[in-house]
Amino acid sequence: MEEAYKKKSEKKLEDFFDHWRKDILPISDKEYQALLTTEKAVYDVFYAFYNPIDLQRIGSSEWGDTIYQNTKYIIIQHNLQYRVQNKVFYTEDEKIIIYKKLLKKEGQDGIDSLNLQKIPAFAEERLMKELLEKDIISTDTITNFRPNISFRGKEVVYLSPSYNIELTTCLGTRIKKNKEALNYLYYLSDKEVAKRQCFLEKKIKIWRGHWGAYWQLLTYPQVYTIVFDKEMNYAKLFFRLAYQGGEAYLKKENGRWNLISSKLTWIE
């Protein structure tokens, strides 16, 4: 990668990405069939949700809906957390019943709380945290996540730790490890970093870290966590889209996962 940049060689840049593509192959049918039932569901939900070419379906990006139109390579995450809990979808009536019990437990069961018609906006996050803490059945992570997915005119690669370090280093950032976290520090001038980003963006689209010298190399959306109900009928996704993020719900119908709602809920 460094040699490709120094020689300004698009051929060597293409060779790097082509080698990456061949180095980490997508999951095979045999590998998929050997997965646990929940792991298969993680892949199936990801397939139903992930589409960087059509971002509008999950919530319009602040950068527009065609940010990956001209990229040749799509970089997909190499791990994905998932969990199973009793429920992932609560109706407003169900949430009100649970919220009343919570208020009563805390000695706040006055007339106003007992006549709730809707959960107050300020209490929604607190309520969901309460539900999660009591509802989780199991949590795990797929650490070699390689969905077999394709888009016309695009090639897919998977962001393993080694390729993450190689791209990050080429972009002028050094990673220092300590016991608690990773520290990212630029070792090149801002002008030089911008030139390197421009060179890499002949093949991919990447973003500078919003809060430091790290890089956001994935082709969004990135799925942080998938949450299933114990009957495996619903899934809730937490995702990132550049400097924004949101939540999505999917439902399994006739053996297929379908997106039923998605919205952006935060921005950095």
Side-chain angles (χ1 to χ4, degrees), residues 9-182:
S9 171
E10 285 195 44
K11 171 65 168 55
K12 289 186 178 296
L13 181 63
E14 177 66 32
D15 288 345
F16 170 83
F17 280 100
D18 189 53
H19 172 79
W20 184 358
R21 178 181 62 84
K22 294 174 181 176
D23 184 35
I24 305 178
L25 299 176
I27 189 170
S28 66
D29 290 341
K30 184 177 180 180
E31 289 175 310
Y32 172 82
Q33 293 303 328
L35 295 175
L36 299 174
T37 300
T38 308
E39 293 174 331
K40 288 180 182 177
V42 170
Y43 273 89
D44 294 343
V45 167
F46 187 87
Y47 291 145
F49 174 78
Y50 184 80
N51 190 336
I53 313 304
D54 184 13
L55 295 173
Q56 192 171 7
R57 66 196 286 267
I58 64 170
S60 295
S61 163
E62 61 180 320
W63 303 98
D65 301 320
T66 59
I67 54 179
Y68 299 113
Q69 184 174 354
N70 297 320
T71 59
K72 180 172 181 180
Y73 286 88
I74 286 173
I75 303 177
I76 294 181
Q77 61 198 87
H78 202 231
N79 58 73
L80 204 165
Q81 184 186 71
Y82 64 93
R83 66 174 179 258
V84 179
Q85 55 193 53
N86 287 312
K87 298 183 71 170
V88 299
F89 182 80
Y90 293 85
T91 66
E92 196 66 31
D93 288 343
E94 287 173 325
K95 288 192 287 187
I96 287 173
I97 291 172
I98 297 167
Y99 187 57
K100 285 181 177 179
K101 290 181 180 178
L102 180 62
L103 292 179
K104 188 173 183 178
K105 183 177 70 174
E106 297 177 352
Q108 302 179 48
D109 55 338
I111 295 176
D112 291 342
S113 64
L114 294 177
N115 287 286
L116 281 173
Q117 300 298 313
K118 186 177 181 181
I119 299 297
F122 68 84
E124 184 79 25
E125 183 177 350
R126 177 188 171 208
L127 174 63
M128 295 312 296
K129 182 178 179 181
E130 175 80 9
L131 293 173
L132 285 177
E133 288 177 351
K134 295 183 177 181
D135 223 20
I136 294 175
I137 296 172
S138 63
T139 300
D140 209 337
T141 301
I142 298 178
T143 56
N144 187 23
F145 187 61
R146 296 170 290 119
N148 192 346
I149 197 166
S150 62
F151 299 95
R152 181 179 296 180
K154 312 290 184 186
E155 300 286 356
V156 172
V157 292
Y158 307 96
L159 191 63
S160 67
S162 61
Y163 282 100
N164 182 22
I165 291 172
E166 186 159 359
L167 264 67
T168 297
T169 302
C170 180
L171 286 161
T173 295
R174 285 202 176 97
I175 303 174
K176 290 189 175 181
K177 297 181 180 180
N178 59 38
K179 293 182 179 180
E180 297 180 357
L182 296 177

Side-chain angles (χ1 to χ4, degrees), residues 140-231:
D140 209 337
T141 301
I142 298 178
T143 56
N144 187 23
F145 187 61
R146 296 170 290 119
N148 192 346
I149 197 166
S150 62
F151 299 95
R152 181 179 296 180
K154 312 290 184 186
E155 300 286 356
V156 172
V157 292
Y158 307 96
L159 191 63
S160 67
S162 61
Y163 282 100
N164 182 22
I165 291 172
E166 186 159 359
L167 264 67
T168 297
T169 302
C170 180
L171 286 161
T173 295
R174 285 202 176 97
I175 303 174
K176 290 189 175 181
K177 297 181 180 180
N178 59 38
K179 293 182 179 180
E180 297 180 357
L182 296 177
N183 292 324
Y184 297 85
L185 302 169
Y186 287 129
Y187 67 90
L188 296 172
S189 68
D190 192 65
K191 184 177 180 180
E192 177 64 16
V193 169
K195 286 181 179 180
R196 288 169 177 253
Q197 179 179 358
C198 185
F199 180 70
L200 288 184
E201 288 191 331
K202 293 177 182 293
K203 302 297 178 182
I204 58 178
K205 175 62 182 175
I206 55 182
W207 312 86
R208 288 202 189 195
H210 202 75
W211 306 109
Y214 64 95
W215 289 88
Q216 298 179 197
L217 301 172
L218 295 174
T219 304
Y220 292 113
Q222 174 191 6
V223 179
Y224 285 124
T225 305
I226 299 177
V227 184
F228 297 97
D229 67 303
K230 62 182 179 181
E231 285 83 19

